[in-house]
Amino acid sequence: MVPGTRLVVLGKQGAGKGTQAVRLARHYAVPHVSTGDIFRAAVRSGSEFGKKAREFMDAGELVPDDVVVGVVQERLSQNDARLRGFILDGFPRTVFQAEALDELLPNGGVELVIDLEVPTEVVLKRLASRRVCVECGTNYSIEKPPSDPEKCDVCGGKVVQREDDTVSAIRRRLELYEEQTAPLIAWYMRKDKLVTVDGIGDPDKVTARLIRAIDLRLRRGADA
Ligand code: ADP
Ligand code: ZN
């Protein structure tokens, strides 16, 4: 993979974006930039900024565009992302954010946008059983808990249900996804940057599918 890989992973809440984005970042040796993780870290730090973000997050609402764009701009201006590229997870989530991202990036914006596709019935089930490490963000589920049910296998942190994984917040986030984020699929398709990957099945298989789809598209781009 050439340096400067700039990818976006799109998908509904619970599609597996976070899990897969971490693996892709490792595979392509680029930083994983998750706006959700950035906001959760701000909440844990107890800063004023974190307190504000928390009100939106717990209600399942989006953090205002200008705030999110500021955070992403700051993160992408750091050396690792500037030199090696990045995998964006959870951003952009609105057309406004996608336009802002294009402006932030030199030479033509992101290379490729992956839509990780999973039907709503499936994500609803996954979200209700999702558990997460408060320290490192590793995802677990009721079906696949860590070996000590409340302790993260990776870092020993506490494993809990996310504050925004309540039924009403989940419903609201999916509604916002349809309204604000789903239009990005057509938006990136028009720019010929979209690739759709089936997110159903064993996580390792999904990872393999993603890597295959990305390599195919990026290679095609390089050969053209
Ligand atoms: P999910 O995809 O399950 O909602 P994330 O971890 O990506 O979880 O995000 C958690 C919350 O952080 C969102 O519900 C929202 O409040 C806020 N957030 C994250 N990314 C964005 C974004 N790009 N724009 C607005 N709000 C965001
Ligand atoms: Zn952990």
Side-chain angles (χ1 to χ4, degrees):
M1 181 59 46
V2 288
T5 307
R6 301 183 305 276
L7 306 176
V8 169
V9 184
L10 274 185
K12 291 186 191 93
Q13 290 73 13
K17 278 192 313 278
T19 306
Q20 296 298 337
V22 167
R23 295 171 178 210
L24 291 176
R26 209 175 296 139
H27 180 86
Y28 292 112
V30 293
H32 167 225
V33 177
S34 155
T35 43
D37 286 354
I38 293 173
F39 292 137
R40 278 185 289 277
V43 169
R44 278 203 304 283
S45 79
S47 66
E48 276 312 305
F49 175 73
K51 284 183 193 141
K52 285 210 190 84
R54 182 170 184 174
E55 290 173 22
F56 294 101
M57 295 168 74
D58 285 357
E61 297 295 331
L62 293 179
V63 175
D65 276 337
D66 54 335
V67 176
V68 188
V69 170
V71 161
V72 170
Q73 176 165 27
E74 143 93 45
R75 178 63 188 89
L76 296 188
S77 70
Q78 289 169 24
N79 271 338
D80 58 348
R82 274 198 306 123
L83 300 174
R84 287 188 284 140
F86 49 78
I87 302 223
L88 272 173
D89 161 11
F91 182 94
R93 246 186 238 242
T94 63
V95 170
F96 180 93
Q97 292 178 11
E99 279 165 352
L101 179 61
D102 268 357
E103 276 165 34
L104 280 182
L105 298 173
N107 46 46
V110 296
E111 281 180 290
L112 198 62
V113 176
I114 301 118
D115 178 26
L116 190 58
E117 212 178 33
V118 177
T120 303
E121 323 79 270
V122 177
V123 303
L124 280 173
K125 273 195 210 113
R126 286 187 187 173
L127 288 171
S129 78
R130 173 157 80 179
R131 297 294 180 269
V132 62
C133 168
V134 295
E135 295 300 332
C136 74
T138 298
N139 280 312
Y140 299 94
S141 68
I142 295 183
E143 294 81 36
K144 281 195 187 154
S147 34
D148 176 343
E150 292 195 345
K151 221 165 130 196
C152 176
D153 287 336
V154 179
C155 78
K158 198 162 178 238
V159 173
V160 300
Q161 179 158 36
R162 254 169 59 170
E163 300 276 355
D164 60 350
D165 279 346
T166 59
V167 174
S168 66
I170 290 170
R171 196 177 306 127
R172 180 65 184 143
R173 273 147 66 213
L174 287 170
E175 207 174 271
L176 282 173
Y177 173 84
E178 291 307 330
E179 203 175 285
Q180 311 260 5
T181 309
L184 286 178
I185 294 173
W187 197 84
Y188 279 119
M189 209 183 275
R190 278 197 299 279
K191 292 179 180 273
D192 196 24
K193 288 201 169 158
L194 194 86
V195 55
T196 301
V197 173
D198 178 7
I200 297 249
D202 179 79
D204 290 343
K205 290 217 176 87
V206 176
T207 308
R209 238 179 255 153
L210 281 163
I211 290 171
R212 211 179 316 121
I214 293 166
D215 286 350
L216 207 72
R217 274 294 293 259
L218 292 186
R219 208 173 317 121
R220 190 197 75 175
D223 290 344

